Amino acid sequence: MNKSLRQLFLVSGLVVSALGMSAPASAALPFFSDKKDEVPSLAPMLEEATPAVVSIAVKGTQTSRQQVPEMFRYFFGGPQEQTRERPFRGLGSGVIIDASKGYVVTNNHVVDNADEITVKLTDGREFDAKKLGSDEQSDIALLKIDPQDLTALPLANSDEIRVGDFVVAIGNPFGLSQTVTSGIVSALGRSGLNIGGYEDFIQTDAAINRGNSGGALVNLHGELVGINTAIFGPNGGNVGIGFAIPANMMKSLVDQIAEYGEVRRGLLGILGNDVDAGLAEAMNSQVNIGAFVSEVQPDSAADKAGLQAGDIITAVNGRDLNSFQELRAKIASMGAGAEVELTLVRKGKEMQVDVVLDDATQTEITAAQIHPALEGATLANGQDKAGNAGVIVSELERGSPAARFGLQPEDVIVGVNRNRVTTLSEFRNALDEASGVIALNVKRGASTLYLVIR
C-alpha cells in the first residue's frame, strides 16, 4: 500500500452534515439572535438538529482466514484454510432521516459484521436496531428502530451546495457524544481516493475524527447535506480534510435499500477515463474536463441512447462533471430504470442525451460485455463449494477467447488484481479500474489459481 493510501482512514462514526447554499448577509438565518445585546450563535439551529443525530454501539464477531502451509497439510491433514473468530465492539454515529418509520442512516463500515446494534438518542433512550440493508461499495447502511417520538433531519439538495458554504459536523468522535465542529465546504466531487468503490465526496475542513462516521454534516439551516465517512490523516487524526457522502446520493441508495433490501445500481454501459489537457489536444477538443467515452458496449443503455466513442460527457442532470470516476459514482447511485440527462460534446458540438439506465445487478450477462478476452463465457452471480460469493462461469463456448484464456465451466472468479469481488457489478467495476496486466483469482474445485489477461 503506498503512502497516500496509508494516509486515508475510515472513521467509524462520522457525522453527516447537510450543506445548503450560503445565505446572503441580509437573509435571516436561524442561528442569528434578534437581540442587540447577543452575538450570533449556532445554538438555536443545533438545538433543533442534534436530537436527530444518534450514537451507535455495535457488537459482533470477526472471522479471519489463514492459509495452512502445504507441509503442515501433508503431515497433519485438514483444510487449506483455517478460520478464527474473535469478538469486537465499536462506536459510531448515525442520523435519523425518517421519524415516522424509525429510519437511521449510517456508514456500512460502522455496522458491518455486527450481531448487535444499539442506537442511543440525545435524551438517553436506547433502542435495538435492525439493519434493513447496506451497500459496501458506497459505504451506506440503513437501520430501523422503534419510531417512538423521534426527530429527523430534513434533507438539503446537495446538488446546490457550493465551495465556501458553511457546514457543521455533529457526531460521536472517540465516544464523545453530540460533539459539534464547524467549517466550510472545501471541495466537491472528490474521487480517486481509493476509499470505496464509488466516490463522489464533499470535502470539508470541519473537524472529523474516529467515531464521527455515519454522523451528520449540516448547513446553517440545520439541513442534512452529507454523511461523513472518511478523513485524510497521516497520523490517524484530523488535519482539516474530511469527506462526506452527499445527501442526494445517500437518499437514492437508501430508497433502494428500503424498497428492495439492496442497492440495484444503474448501469450506463461505457468505458472511459478522465479528460485532461493532453487528451483534449489529441481529440482537438476545447473541453478540458469531464468524462471521456472510449467505448460504448453493445446493446447497453448508452448504446440505445446514441452515445458514441469519442464523446465527452460534461454534466449529469445539469450538474457539471469533474471526472469519469464522478460520473461512475453518480450513475451507480441511481437505480436501474432511472432516467438521466447527459450533457456531452461531440466533435465540438454540445448536445443533451436522455438515457434510461440498465440494471447493473442483473444475475447473468455475456462476459464479452465486460472484457473482450472473456468472449464466449456467460457469467452469473454464484458461489464456490465453500459458500464464498463470486462470479461463476455458467456457460463456456469451446474454442472461444475465454476458453483459450484458461477459464473452465463452473470456475468462480473471486478477485481481480488481489481485490475481492462478490458480484457481477463488483467484477465489472474492478475490471474498469484495472490497467495493464489483469490477474483473475479463480476458485476451481478445491484449488485456487490466477489467470492473467495481458
Side-chain angles (χ1 to χ4, degrees):
M1 182 180 292
N2 61 39
K3 182 178 180 181
S4 64
L5 293 185
R6 287 198 302 268
Q7 292 174 332
L8 285 164
F9 295 90
L10 291 176
V11 252
S12 291
L14 279 184
V15 177
V16 179
S17 128
L19 302 177
M21 297 179 65
S22 296
S26 60
L29 290 174
F31 61 92
F32 282 116
S33 170
D34 58 2
K35 297 181 180 179
K36 294 182 180 180
D37 58 343
E38 293 186 9
V39 295
S41 173
L42 291 171
M45 180 273 285
L46 291 170
E47 288 170 357
E48 298 291 329
T50 52
V53 182
V54 302
S55 299
I56 297 177
V58 300
K59 297 179 182 178
T61 303
Q62 288 181 329
T63 302
S64 61
R65 291 182 173 84
Q66 184 177 21
Q67 287 291 129
V68 179
E70 183 69 33
M71 62 179 295
F72 291 107
R73 293 203 303 270
Y74 176 78
F75 282 110
F76 304 110
Q80 295 182 12
E81 290 184 336
Q82 288 185 346
T83 59
R84 293 183 178 180
E85 294 185 348
R86 61 183 181 88
F88 72 89
R89 294 172 180 261
L91 294 173
S93 305
V95 182
I96 301 172
I97 59 169
D98 191 320
S100 64
K101 296 179 179 178
Y103 285 171
V104 178
V105 67
T106 185
N107 286 137
N108 173 72
H109 75 264
V110 172
V111 296
D112 192 29
N113 296 320
D115 299 321
E116 299 179 25
I117 304 173
T118 302
V119 170
K120 184 176 182 179
L121 277 56
T122 56
D123 61 12
R125 288 183 293 161
E126 295 187 359
F127 297 91
D128 292 333
K130 175 184 177 182
K131 185 167 76 171
L132 299 182
S134 62
D135 182 50
E136 181 180 3
Q137 293 293 308
S138 56
D139 203 11
I140 284 291
L142 180 63
L143 312 178
K144 180 177 175 59
I145 61 175
D146 191 2
Q148 296 181 16
D149 192 24
L150 304 178
T151 298
L153 271 183
L155 301 186
N157 182 354
S158 58
D159 285 342
E160 294 181 353
I161 64 174
R162 300 174 298 174
V163 173
D165 284 349
F166 289 104
V167 290
V168 176
I170 313 168
N172 185 35
F174 306 113
L176 301 172
S177 62
Q178 297 300 304
T179 295
V180 176
T181 57
S182 65
I184 63 170
V185 176
S186 305
L188 297 170
R190 284 295 192 207
S191 61
L193 305 174
N194 295 314
I195 296 173
Y198 299 100
E199 302 178 349
D200 182 21
F201 293 118
I202 299 166
Q203 181 180 326
T204 179
D205 65 350
I208 294 170
N209 289 284
R210 295 184 184 276
N212 274 124
S213 288
L217 186 67
V218 301
N219 60 20
L220 297 186
H221 294 285
E223 299 166 329
L224 184 67
V225 294
I227 301 294
N228 292 329
T229 299
I231 60 173
F232 184 90
N235 299 313
N238 172 65
V239 294
I241 301 178
F243 303 99
I245 300 168
N248 287 6
M249 180 176 178
M250 177 275 292
K251 180 64 164 54
S252 177
L253 295 166
V254 164
D255 285 348
Q256 295 173 58
I257 292 173
E259 183 173 357
Y260 306 112
E262 62 180 0
V263 173
R264 296 187 175 180
R265 301 192 188 286
L267 178 66
L268 186 56
I270 63 171
L271 301 178
N273 49 272
D274 297 346
V275 177
D276 55 24
L279 180 59
E281 182 179 358
M283 297 298 295
N284 194 27
S285 171
Q286 300 300 313
V287 178
N288 293 305
I289 191 169
F292 178 73
V293 180
S294 61
E295 180 183 342
V296 177
Q297 296 173 342
D299 299 320
S300 65
D303 187 27
K304 295 172 185 175
L307 268 71
Q308 299 178 9
D311 288 345
I312 297 176
I313 302 173
T314 59
V316 176
N317 291 335
R319 304 297 300 179
D320 291 344
L321 278 176
N322 294 312
S323 66
F324 190 87
Q325 285 273 23
E326 184 181 352
L327 169 67
R328 180 171 168 268
K330 288 184 182 298
I331 293 298
S333 67
M334 300 176 184
E339 297 182 6
V340 182
E341 181 187 77
L342 301 178
T343 302
L344 57 88
V345 176
R346 179 181 298 165
K347 297 180 180 178
K349 182 180 179 181
E350 184 177 276
M351 61 183 68
Q352 278 73 42
V353 175
D354 293 325
V355 183
V356 178
L357 300 181
D358 289 334
D359 187 352
T361 59
Q362 58 187 300
T363 58
E364 187 171 88
I365 63 172
T366 302
Q369 298 174 8
I370 295 182
H371 196 286
L374 303 179
E375 182 180 351
T378 300
L379 305 178
N381 293 328
Q383 55 184 219
D384 62 15
K385 293 181 179 179
N388 298 309
V391 176
I392 190 169
V393 180
S394 57
E395 296 181 17
L396 186 67
E397 297 178 12
R398 294 181 62 182
S400 65
R404 294 194 297 270
F405 161 62
L407 281 177
Q408 296 182 12
E410 305 305 318
D411 280 353
V412 180
I413 302 169
V414 296
V416 176
N417 290 356
R418 304 186 71 84
N419 294 316
R420 184 78 168 92
V421 295
T422 60
T423 65
L424 283 168
S425 178
E426 293 177 8
F427 182 49
R428 183 196 298 270
N429 295 333
L431 287 178
D432 287 349
E433 294 177 353
S435 59
V437 176
I438 299 172
L440 302 185
N441 184 196
V442 175
K443 294 281 189 179
R444 180 177 296 165
S447 302
T448 299
L449 61 146
Y450 283 90
L451 299 178
V452 179
I453 302 176
R454 299 183 182 277

